[in-house]
């Protein structure tokens, strides 16, 4: 129902635990969200790997293993990490509904800039980088917002956006899989109208 892209490395400054809590709230409201974290943790930093492990534990605890995916854990073999190149990240921008940046702080704000160039809506905490680049064109929320408040803002945007509703309709009704199920399976089963 909703694909939110987080093109960030796994660090505490990115506030990924908030994203996990938001995913759990959206799921509880009968939405099927997908949050995609593209960047890896730093495998050479024990503190960073411990943070990553705490996120995996929280994800399991909140039962949002399918709703929030770390690309890093999706290597070709179990336990083997996957690091995306810039072309793959660009494709994720293309298929996502919005950029989600719950970061506590950002340097320059490159993801906001990239989203702006691609016409992708941005949902983020107020921070100087996003405010400067996006001005009033980003959906910014106060950094002290609760996960419930952030989820409510995301839901309000999704329900009000005709572009998002069209994307949902196309994904639901006009993928090859949907067309095959709707048109071809009845035909192959001999259940077509005379």
């Amino acid at each position: 129902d909703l694909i939110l892209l987080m093109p960030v490395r796994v660090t505490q400054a990115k506030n990924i635990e908030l994203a996990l809590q938001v995913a759990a709230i959206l799921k509880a409201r009968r939405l099927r969200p997908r949050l995609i974290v593209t960047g890896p943790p730093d495998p050479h930093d024990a503190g960073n790997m411990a943070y990553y492990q705490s996120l995996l534990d929280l994800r399991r605890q909140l039962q949002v293993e399918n709703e929030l995916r770390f690309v890093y854990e999706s290597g070709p073999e179990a336990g083997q990490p996957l690091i995306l190149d810039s072309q793959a990240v660009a494709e994720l921008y293309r298929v996502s509904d919005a950029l989600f940046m719950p970061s506590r702080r950002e340097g320059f704000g490159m993801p906001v800039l990239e989203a702006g160039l691609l016409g992708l809506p941005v949902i983020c905490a107020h921070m100087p980088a996003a405010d400067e680049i996006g001005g009033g064109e980003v959906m910014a929320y106060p950094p002290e917002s609760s996960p419930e408040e952030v989820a409510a803002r995301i839901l309000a945007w999704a329900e009000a956006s005709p572009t998002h509703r069209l994307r949902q309709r196309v994904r639901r009704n006009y993928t090859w899989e949907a067309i095959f199920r709707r048109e071809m399976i009845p035909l192959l089963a001999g259940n077509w109208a005379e």
Side-chain angles (χ1 to χ4, degrees):
D1 294 324
L2 181 64
I3 302 171
L4 300 174
L5 180 63
M6 298 176 62
V8 299
R9 292 182 65 86
V10 178
T11 66
Q12 289 184 352
K14 303 306 180 186
N15 201 11
I16 298 169
E17 56 274 18
L18 175 69
L20 285 162
Q21 294 166 337
V22 167
I25 292 165
L26 294 174
K27 180 181 179 182
R29 294 190 181 167
R30 305 277 189 243
L31 229 67
R32 294 175 307 151
R34 291 294 182 268
L35 282 75
I36 303 167
V37 179
T38 63
D42 183 351
H44 305 294
D45 180 342
N48 193 254
M49 288 306 289
Y51 173 64
Y52 174 62
Q53 186 58 54
S54 75
L55 293 172
L56 296 176
D57 294 342
L58 179 60
R59 182 178 69 172
R60 192 172 25 263
Q61 176 187 349
L62 294 172
Q63 299 179 352
V64 290
E65 292 94 337
N66 292 325
E67 287 73 26
L68 191 138
R69 299 295 302 166
F70 292 96
V71 170
Y72 179 77
E73 68 186 346
S74 302
E77 295 181 29
Q80 188 176 24
L82 176 64
I83 308 295
L84 295 180
D85 62 20
S86 60
Q87 183 63 35
V89 174
E91 287 298 313
L92 286 171
Y93 270 95
R94 189 177 66 78
V95 299
S96 296
D97 294 310
L99 176 78
F100 184 38
M101 296 289 292
S103 302
R104 292 183 180 96
R105 63 183 177 279
E106 282 292 326
F108 176 70
M110 187 62 77
V112 176
L113 182 69
E114 291 169 337
L117 289 172
L118 295 170
L120 187 66
V122 176
I123 303 164
C124 64
H126 273 294
M127 64 186 111
D131 292 342
E132 180 180 333
I133 294 169
E137 307 307 321
V138 299
M139 292 171 275
Y141 56 86
E144 66 277 359
S145 296
S146 70
E148 292 81 10
E149 292 168 326
V150 175
R153 284 178 181 254
I154 291 171
L155 283 170
W157 164 77
E159 290 169 1
S161 170
T163 303
H164 174 68
R165 290 193 314 269
L166 177 60
R167 288 175 69 95
Q168 280 184 304
R169 180 182 184 90
V170 168
R171 279 196 301 250
R172 185 175 45 246
N173 298 323
Y174 298 100
T175 63
W176 284 116
E177 182 180 342
I179 292 169
F180 184 80
R181 286 183 187 181
R182 184 177 64 243
E183 305 293 334
M184 297 304 294
I185 289 177
L187 181 67
L188 294 172
N191 296 332
W192 62 86
E194 301 275 335

